PDB file of all heavy atoms in Angstrom:
ATOM      1  N   LEU A1127      87.985 128.431  99.910  1.00 89.00           N
ATOM      2  CA  LEU A1127      88.505 127.920  98.648  1.00 89.00           C
ATOM      3  C   LEU A1127      89.318 128.983  97.923  1.00 89.00           C
ATOM      4  O   LEU A1127      90.383 128.700  97.371  1.00 89.00           O
ATOM      5  CB  LEU A1127      87.348 127.437  97.770  1.00 89.00           C
ATOM      6  CG  LEU A1127      87.742 126.789  96.443  1.00 89.00           C
ATOM      7  CD1 LEU A1127      88.629 125.572  96.667  1.00 89.00           C
ATOM      8  CD2 LEU A1127      86.491 126.406  95.662  1.00 89.00           C
ATOM      9  N   LEU A1128      88.833 130.226  97.930  1.00 89.00           N
ATOM     10  CA  LEU A1128      89.569 131.313  97.285  1.00 89.00           C
ATOM     11  C   LEU A1128      90.920 131.541  97.947  1.00 89.00           C
ATOM     12  O   LEU A1128      91.883 131.952  97.293  1.00 89.00           O
ATOM     13  CB  LEU A1128      88.747 132.601  97.320  1.00 89.00           C
ATOM     14  CG  LEU A1128      87.657 132.744  96.260  1.00 89.00           C
ATOM     15  CD1 LEU A1128      86.889 134.038  96.464  1.00 89.00           C
ATOM     16  CD2 LEU A1128      88.262 132.713  94.861  1.00 89.00           C
ATOM     17  N   ALA A1129      91.013 131.299  99.255  1.00 83.00           N
ATOM     18  CA  ALA A1129      92.300 131.436  99.946  1.00 83.00           C
ATOM     19  C   ALA A1129      93.245 130.305  99.560  1.00 83.00           C
ATOM     20  O   ALA A1129      94.457 130.504  99.461  1.00 83.00           O
ATOM     21  CB  ALA A1129      92.091 131.450 101.455  1.00 83.00           C
ATOM     22  N   ARG A1130      92.696 129.137  99.325  1.00 84.00           N
ATOM     23  CA  ARG A1130      93.549 127.987  99.020  1.00 84.00           C
ATOM     24  C   ARG A1130      94.148 128.059  97.617  1.00 84.00           C
ATOM     25  O   ARG A1130      95.294 127.653  97.402  1.00 84.00           O
ATOM     26  CB  ARG A1130      92.741 126.679  99.116  1.00 84.00           C
ATOM     27  CG  ARG A1130      92.088 126.390 100.445  1.00 84.00           C
ATOM     28  CD  ARG A1130      93.086 125.893 101.470  1.00 84.00           C
ATOM     29  NE  ARG A1130      92.382 125.522 102.679  1.00 84.00           N
ATOM     30  CZ  ARG A1130      91.953 124.303 102.961  1.00 84.00           C
ATOM     31  NH1 ARG A1130      92.156 123.325 102.115  1.00 84.00           N
ATOM     32  NH2 ARG A1130      91.341 124.057 104.102  1.00 84.00           N
ATOM     33  N   ILE A1131      93.373 128.513  96.650  1.00 89.00           N
ATOM     34  CA  ILE A1131      93.788 128.397  95.256  1.00 89.00           C
ATOM     35  C   ILE A1131      95.099 129.125  94.955  1.00 89.00           C
ATOM     36  O   ILE A1131      96.029 128.511  94.408  1.00 89.00           O
ATOM     37  CB  ILE A1131      92.649 128.848  94.317  1.00 89.00           C
ATOM     38  CG1 ILE A1131      91.549 127.786  94.321  1.00 89.00           C
ATOM     39  CG2 ILE A1131      93.161 129.081  92.894  1.00 89.00           C
ATOM     40  CD1 ILE A1131      90.304 128.186  93.569  1.00 89.00           C
ATOM     41  N   PRO A1132      95.250 130.417  95.262  1.00 86.00           N
ATOM     42  CA  PRO A1132      96.536 131.057  94.943  1.00 86.00           C
ATOM     43  C   PRO A1132      97.700 130.447  95.710  1.00 86.00           C
ATOM     44  O   PRO A1132      98.818 130.391  95.191  1.00 86.00           O
ATOM     45  CB  PRO A1132      96.312 132.524  95.330  1.00 86.00           C
ATOM     46  CG  PRO A1132      95.145 132.527  96.243  1.00 86.00           C
ATOM     47  CD  PRO A1132      94.287 131.374  95.836  1.00 86.00           C
ATOM     48  N   ALA A1133      97.449 129.986  96.934  1.00 79.00           N
ATOM     49  CA  ALA A1133      98.525 129.375  97.707  1.00 79.00           C
ATOM     50  C   ALA A1133      98.969 128.062  97.074  1.00 79.00           C
ATOM     51  O   ALA A1133     100.173 127.777  96.975  1.00 79.00           O
ATOM     52  CB  ALA A1133      98.072 129.146  99.148  1.00 79.00           C
ATOM     53  N   VAL A1134      98.026 127.237  96.618  1.00 84.00           N
ATOM     54  CA  VAL A1134      98.381 125.983  95.954  1.00 84.00           C
ATOM     55  C   VAL A1134      99.093 126.263  94.641  1.00 84.00           C
ATOM     56  O   VAL A1134     100.068 125.583  94.288  1.00 84.00           O
ATOM     57  CB  VAL A1134      97.121 125.116  95.734  1.00 84.00           C
ATOM     58  CG1 VAL A1134      97.441 123.916  94.846  1.00 84.00           C
ATOM     59  CG2 VAL A1134      96.577 124.622  97.074  1.00 84.00           C
ATOM     60  N   LEU A1135      98.652 127.272  93.895  1.00 86.00           N
ATOM     61  CA  LEU A1135      99.333 127.625  92.650  1.00 86.00           C
ATOM     62  C   LEU A1135     100.778 128.055  92.901  1.00 86.00           C
ATOM     63  O   LEU A1135     101.674 127.730  92.128  1.00 86.00           O
ATOM     64  CB  LEU A1135      98.572 128.741  91.936  1.00 86.00           C
ATOM     65  CG  LEU A1135      97.263 128.332  91.253  1.00 86.00           C
ATOM     66  CD1 LEU A1135      96.495 129.565  90.806  1.00 86.00           C
ATOM     67  CD2 LEU A1135      97.539 127.417  90.070  1.00 86.00           C
ATOM     68  N   ARG A1136     101.013 128.773  94.014  1.00 78.00           N
ATOM     69  CA  ARG A1136     102.381 129.197  94.329  1.00 78.00           C
ATOM     70  C   ARG A1136     103.254 128.006  94.689  1.00 78.00           C
ATOM     71  O   ARG A1136     104.475 128.051  94.503  1.00 78.00           O
ATOM     72  CB  ARG A1136     102.375 130.192  95.487  1.00 78.00           C
ATOM     73  CG  ARG A1136     101.878 131.574  95.125  1.00 78.00           C
ATOM     74  CD  ARG A1136     102.236 132.585  96.205  1.00 78.00           C
ATOM     75  NE  ARG A1136     101.608 132.276  97.471  1.00 78.00           N
ATOM     76  CZ  ARG A1136     100.417 132.741  97.842  1.00 78.00           C
ATOM     77  NH1 ARG A1136      99.706 133.500  97.020  1.00 78.00           N
ATOM     78  NH2 ARG A1136      99.913 132.429  99.022  1.00 78.00           N
ATOM     79  N   ARG A1137     102.654 126.952  95.220  1.00 70.00           N
ATOM     80  CA  ARG A1137     103.434 125.786  95.627  1.00 70.00           C
ATOM     81  C   ARG A1137     103.650 124.801  94.491  1.00 70.00           C
ATOM     82  O   ARG A1137     104.352 123.816  94.659  1.00 70.00           O
ATOM     83  CB  ARG A1137     102.725 125.053  96.782  1.00 70.00           C
ATOM     84  CG  ARG A1137     102.467 125.906  97.990  1.00 70.00           C
ATOM     85  CD  ARG A1137     102.157 125.061  99.210  1.00 70.00           C
ATOM     86  NE  ARG A1137     101.007 124.208  99.080  1.00 70.00           N
ATOM     87  CZ  ARG A1137      99.757 124.543  99.414  1.00 70.00           C
ATOM     88  NH1 ARG A1137      99.494 125.759  99.843  1.00 70.00           N
ATOM     89  NH2 ARG A1137      98.778 123.674  99.314  1.00 70.00           N
ATOM     90  N   ALA A1138     103.038 125.047  93.352  1.00 67.00           N
ATOM     91  CA  ALA A1138     103.084 124.094  92.245  1.00 67.00           C
ATOM     92  C   ALA A1138     104.493 123.998  91.670  1.00 67.00           C
ATOM     93  O   ALA A1138     105.286 124.931  91.761  1.00 67.00           O
ATOM     94  CB  ALA A1138     102.101 124.509  91.155  1.00 67.00           C
ATOM     95  N   PRO A1139     104.831 122.849  91.046  1.00 61.00           N
ATOM     96  CA  PRO A1139     106.124 122.735  90.372  1.00 61.00           C
ATOM     97  C   PRO A1139     106.316 123.865  89.384  1.00 61.00           C
ATOM     98  O   PRO A1139     105.402 124.259  88.667  1.00 61.00           O
ATOM     99  CB  PRO A1139     106.010 121.379  89.659  1.00 61.00           C
ATOM    100  CG  PRO A1139     105.034 120.608  90.475  1.00 61.00           C
ATOM    101  CD  PRO A1139     104.038 121.626  90.969  1.00 61.00           C
ATOM    102  N   GLY A1140     107.541 124.387  89.367  1.00 58.00           N
ATOM    103  CA  GLY A1140     107.849 125.517  88.501  1.00 58.00           C
ATOM    104  C   GLY A1140     107.840 126.837  89.226  1.00 58.00           C
ATOM    105  O   GLY A1140     108.332 127.827  88.715  1.00 58.00           O
ATOM    106  N   SER A1141     107.270 126.859  90.441  1.00 52.00           N
ATOM    107  CA  SER A1141     107.301 128.088  91.225  1.00 52.00           C
ATOM    108  C   SER A1141     108.695 128.282  91.794  1.00 52.00           C
ATOM    109  O   SER A1141     109.319 127.353  92.287  1.00 52.00           O
ATOM    110  CB  SER A1141     106.277 128.014  92.366  1.00 52.00           C
ATOM    111  OG  SER A1141     106.455 129.093  93.251  1.00 52.00           O
ATOM    112  N   ASP A1142     109.167 129.515  91.757  1.00 49.00           N
ATOM    113  CA  ASP A1142     110.511 129.811  92.260  1.00 49.00           C
ATOM    114  C   ASP A1142     110.485 130.474  93.625  1.00 49.00           C
ATOM    115  O   ASP A1142     111.513 130.907  94.130  1.00 49.00           O
ATOM    116  CB  ASP A1142     111.252 130.737  91.287  1.00 49.00           C
ATOM    117  CG  ASP A1142     111.511 130.069  89.954  1.00 49.00           C
ATOM    118  OD1 ASP A1142     111.750 128.851  89.955  1.00 49.00           O
ATOM    119  OD2 ASP A1142     111.466 130.769  88.926  1.00 49.00           O
ATOM    120  N   GLU A1143     109.313 130.529  94.242  1.00 47.00           N
ATOM    121  CA  GLU A1143     109.201 131.336  95.443  1.00 47.00           C
ATOM    122  C   GLU A1143     110.008 130.789  96.614  1.00 47.00           C
ATOM    123  O   GLU A1143     110.472 131.530  97.456  1.00 47.00           O
ATOM    124  CB  GLU A1143     107.721 131.462  95.840  1.00 47.00           C
ATOM    125  CG  GLU A1143     106.956 132.335  94.873  1.00 47.00           C
ATOM    126  CD  GLU A1143     105.664 132.815  95.465  1.00 47.00           C
ATOM    127  OE1 GLU A1143     105.485 132.682  96.696  1.00 47.00           O
ATOM    128  OE2 GLU A1143     104.832 133.328  94.720  1.00 47.00           O
ATOM    129  N   LEU A1144     110.166 129.452  96.673  1.00 47.00           N
ATOM    130  CA  LEU A1144     110.853 128.903  97.835  1.00 47.00           C
ATOM    131  C   LEU A1144     112.370 129.000  97.699  1.00 47.00           C
ATOM    132  O   LEU A1144     113.068 129.112  98.685  1.00 47.00           O
ATOM    133  CB  LEU A1144     110.423 127.455  98.063  1.00 47.00           C
ATOM    134  CG  LEU A1144     109.007 127.294  98.615  1.00 47.00           C
ATOM    135  CD1 LEU A1144     108.694 125.841  98.817  1.00 47.00           C
ATOM    136  CD2 LEU A1144     108.806 128.072  99.890  1.00 47.00           C
ATOM    137  N   GLY A1145     112.879 128.899  96.475  1.00 48.00           N
ATOM    138  CA  GLY A1145     114.321 129.061  96.271  1.00 48.00           C
ATOM    139  C   GLY A1145     115.144 128.266  97.255  1.00 48.00           C
ATOM    140  O   GLY A1145     114.870 127.133  97.545  1.00 48.00           O
ATOM    141  N   GLY A1146     116.214 128.893  97.807  1.00 57.00           N
ATOM    142  CA  GLY A1146     116.972 128.274  98.875  1.00 57.00           C
ATOM    143  C   GLY A1146     118.194 127.535  98.381  1.00 57.00           C
ATOM    144  O   GLY A1146     118.620 127.685  97.232  1.00 57.00           O
ATOM    145  N   PRO A1147     118.792 126.721  99.247  1.00 71.00           N
ATOM    146  CA  PRO A1147     120.024 126.015  98.906  1.00 71.00           C
ATOM    147  C   PRO A1147     119.811 124.978  97.822  1.00 71.00           C
ATOM    148  O   PRO A1147     118.692 124.523  97.581  1.00 71.00           O
ATOM    149  CB  PRO A1147     120.416 125.360 100.238  1.00 71.00           C
ATOM    150  CG  PRO A1147     119.139 125.222 100.979  1.00 71.00           C
ATOM    151  CD  PRO A1147     118.335 126.432 100.606  1.00 71.00           C
ATOM    152  N   GLU A1148     120.914 124.594  97.196  1.00 80.00           N
ATOM    153  CA  GLU A1148     120.842 123.584  96.140  1.00 80.00           C
ATOM    154  C   GLU A1148     120.545 122.211  96.717  1.00 80.00           C
ATOM    155  O   GLU A1148     119.848 121.404  96.086  1.00 80.00           O
ATOM    156  CB  GLU A1148     122.168 123.560  95.384  1.00 80.00           C
ATOM    157  CG  GLU A1148     122.191 122.557  94.234  1.00 80.00           C
ATOM    158  CD  GLU A1148     123.510 122.594  93.496  1.00 80.00           C
ATOM    159  OE1 GLU A1148     124.248 123.591  93.634  1.00 80.00           O
ATOM    160  OE2 GLU A1148     123.796 121.627  92.777  1.00 80.00           O
ATOM    161  N   GLU A1149     121.071 121.937  97.907  1.00 88.00           N
ATOM    162  CA  GLU A1149     120.903 120.612  98.504  1.00 88.00           C
ATOM    163  C   GLU A1149     120.819 120.729 100.013  1.00 88.00           C
ATOM    164  O   GLU A1149     121.521 121.525 100.629  1.00 88.00           O
ATOM    165  CB  GLU A1149     122.081 119.725  98.108  1.00 88.00           C
ATOM    166  CG  GLU A1149     122.037 118.321  98.675  1.00 88.00           C
ATOM    167  CD  GLU A1149     123.237 117.512  98.234  1.00 88.00           C
ATOM    168  OE1 GLU A1149     123.454 117.394  97.006  1.00 88.00           O
ATOM    169  OE2 GLU A1149     123.977 117.027  99.117  1.00 88.00           O
ATOM    170  N   LEU A1150     119.941 119.931 100.607  1.00 90.00           N
ATOM    171  CA  LEU A1150     119.834 119.818 102.059  1.00 90.00           C
ATOM    172  C   LEU A1150     119.968 118.350 102.433  1.00 90.00           C
ATOM    173  O   LEU A1150     119.324 117.497 101.818  1.00 90.00           O
ATOM    174  CB  LEU A1150     118.490 120.339 102.568  1.00 90.00           C
ATOM    175  CG  LEU A1150     118.200 121.837 102.428  1.00 90.00           C
ATOM    176  CD1 LEU A1150     116.718 122.104 102.652  1.00 90.00           C
ATOM    177  CD2 LEU A1150     119.024 122.616 103.440  1.00 90.00           C
ATOM    178  N   VAL A1151     120.798 118.057 103.412  1.00 90.00           N
ATOM    179  CA  VAL A1151     120.953 116.690 103.891  1.00 90.00           C
ATOM    180  C   VAL A1151     120.634 116.672 105.373  1.00 90.00           C
ATOM    181  O   VAL A1151     121.248 117.386 106.166  1.00 90.00           O
ATOM    182  CB  VAL A1151     122.388 116.162 103.658  1.00 90.00           C
ATOM    183  CG1 VAL A1151     122.513 114.723 104.167  1.00 90.00           C
ATOM    184  CG2 VAL A1151     122.752 116.244 102.183  1.00 90.00           C
TER     185      VAL A1151
END
Side-chain angles (χ1 to χ4, degrees):
L1127 184 59
L1128 279 177
R1130 302 283 185 93
I1131 287 173
V1134 171
L1135 286 170
R1136 286 195 297 269
R1137 303 197 300 269
S1141 170
D1142 295 325
E1143 289 198 13
L1144 287 181
E1148 181 179 342
E1149 179 180 304
L1150 293 166
V1151 180

